[in-house]
Structure formats: structure tokens, C-alpha cells
Amino acid sequence: MVIDFAFLGDTFLKLSAALPVTLGLFACSFLLGGVLALGILAMRMSQWRVMSSFARGYILVFRGSPLMIQLFLIYYGLGQFGVIRHSFLWPLLREPFICAVLALALCTAAYTAEILRGGLLAIPAGQIEAGRACGMSRLLLLRRIIAPVMLRYALPAYSTEAILLVKSTALASLVTVWDVTGVAQQIIQRTYRTMEVFLCAAAIYLILNFIIVQLYALLERRLTPHTRQSPRTLALKPASKGE
């Protein structure tokens, strides 16, 4: 197989032109999914059985069914209801991009809610009791102790969910959203050169995920400064009497 570097370069440029659509899908669904996840988490941890049961059912449905089916149900299914077609939301819901963002956000919200719940349950009870003993209000306790510690514990799994969300944006091409994968399919239909085109697309997704990993690593270092000590600091640390 002879590698056509000129074709690879031209294909990479064409796919890069569709990168803003992929980034828009990711950013919108990531932010919307994060907001929804906080609401679902609040209902999941609520003492009211109705709210807790609703959150459990939501998580079960969106984690237990394929994202592709959810996307098809939203894009093709919502238009079958006359109430929706004649509502003020229809100009938005008939747009493929909006439907793709909605499907991605609803799905990632279910996973993110469970990730945050795991981080919340991992908070040592002593830290919360210490905050209450200092006279912190609920809002101050949430802002100064609960939220930072929960995010610190949830961050590794949350970074994985962000990477999966980037790769899930490729499904938006199934509903005529011309992101990187959609443009790649158009190029393949014209050139029949599947290998080279998808290699370029894979390289773009790989670069995006590498950047996301680095951003999460930077955030993790900012949230856990106490876990980083230089070898010089450890060497200068006085030894205990038992050593």
C-alpha cells in the first residue's frame, strides 16, 4: 500500500474544518449534561421517595439503553407528537444539532450523576462534622468542603466520561450533523478511500482527547496540591524518633 501524503494532508484539512461542529457538540452537551447531573444527583440523594425513585429510573433508562437509539428517538420520535410540533420548542427540536446535543446531554447526565454520587459518598464524615463544629452554614459547608472534596474524588472518572462524550459525538452524523465523522463519510463516498480518511478522523479525535486529559490533569494538580512534594522537600523533612 502506497501512502499518499498529499491526500492525507488534504483530508486532514477538510476534516479540521468540521472541528468547530464537533467541539460545539461536546461543549454544549458537556455543560448541559453537567447541569442536569447536579439536579439528578440532588433528587437521587433526596429523602423524598418520589424524587429518589425518579432519579433512579432516569439513570437506569439512560445508562441501560444505547445512545444511538436515544438519539433516533429524540430526532425522529419527538416530531410525531402534535403537542411538540405546535409548541414553541419545535423550531429548536427540529434542528439536527439541537437534537444531538439533547441526546448527548441526557445520556451523559445519567453517568455524571452516578460519578458525582460516588464522590459525594466518599467524603469522610469527619470533615463534614468538623465544618459543622466550626459553625458553617449549609451553603458555606457545600462551597468550602463538600463540593471541592466531591470533585476531587470524582475527577478521574469524570475525565473518562468527558473522553467518552467526545467519541460519542461521532453518532451525531447519523442525524445529518456534519461533524468530523460526517464529513469523513462524505469524503469516503466520493473517494472510496476508507482507510486514509478514517485514519485522519481518528487522529483528530486522538488529539482532542489528549488535550482533555491534559486539562483534567492540570485541574487535578490544582485541587490536590498537598499530594505533591518534591524529592528535595522529602529529603529535608526531619526523621521521626523511631527511624
Side-chain angles (χ1 to χ4, degrees):
M1 177 180 176
V2 179
I3 301 177
D4 190 348
F5 290 101
F7 177 77
L8 289 176
D10 182 65
T11 300
F12 192 86
L13 291 176
K14 290 179 179 179
L15 295 180
S16 299
L19 190 56
V21 179
T22 297
L23 292 176
L25 284 171
F26 169 72
C28 294
S29 57
F30 183 81
L31 294 175
L32 180 58
V35 173
L36 291 175
L38 293 177
I40 296 168
L41 174 64
M43 290 189 292
R44 179 71 174 82
M45 303 300 295
S46 175
Q47 296 180 352
W48 293 358
R49 186 178 296 274
V50 175
M51 299 181 66
S52 178
S53 299
F54 174 81
R56 289 173 183 268
Y58 178 94
I59 293 171
L60 175 63
V61 170
F62 282 94
R63 289 205 309 170
S65 58
L67 176 57
M68 184 176 67
I69 294 179
Q70 298 170 20
L71 178 61
F72 284 160
L73 287 175
I74 292 175
Y75 182 68
Y76 295 108
L78 292 180
Q80 297 182 9
F81 296 95
V83 176
I84 295 179
R85 286 200 310 272
H86 296 92
S87 68
F88 68 95
L89 294 175
W90 180 240
L92 295 176
L93 294 178
R94 67 183 180 184
E95 294 294 331
F97 184 89
I98 300 298
C99 291
V101 168
L102 184 59
L104 291 169
L106 290 174
C107 185
T108 192
Y111 287 94
T112 303
E114 282 297 280
I115 291 172
L116 295 179
R117 188 174 73 91
L120 182 62
L121 295 177
I123 299 176
Q127 295 186 11
I128 299 178
E129 293 175 358
R132 289 174 176 171
C134 294
M136 290 185 177
S137 63
R138 289 187 176 182
L139 182 60
L140 185 60
L141 189 67
L142 176 64
R143 184 170 61 89
R144 298 293 297 273
I145 295 179
I146 297 178
V149 177
M150 177 183 68
L151 182 61
R152 189 182 306 160
Y153 283 122
L155 202 58
Y158 198 21
S159 64
T160 302
E161 175 59 23
I163 292 173
L164 292 175
L165 182 59
V166 171
K167 294 188 291 186
S168 297
T169 58
L171 293 175
S173 62
L174 298 175
V175 292
T176 68
V177 176
W178 303 121
D179 62 334
V180 173
T181 303
V183 174
Q185 292 174 347
Q186 287 182 327
I187 297 175
I188 291 173
Q189 290 174 1
R190 294 195 303 265
T191 62
Y192 299 99
R193 303 176 72 166
T194 306
M195 181 67 71
E196 296 97 324
V197 176
F198 276 145
L199 280 176
C200 291
I204 291 176
Y205 284 110
L206 183 62
I207 293 172
L208 284 179
N209 287 328
F210 176 78
I211 294 174
I212 290 175
V213 169
Q214 296 305 313
L215 291 176
Y216 270 95
L218 178 61
L219 179 59
E220 189 172 0
R221 287 195 296 269
R222 292 291 299 273
L223 290 176
T224 57
H226 60 281
T227 61
R228 305 190 311 276
Q229 292 184 356
S230 64
R232 183 178 179 181
T233 304
L234 294 175
L236 295 176
K237 185 177 180 180
S240 61
K241 294 182 180 180
E243 296 179 350

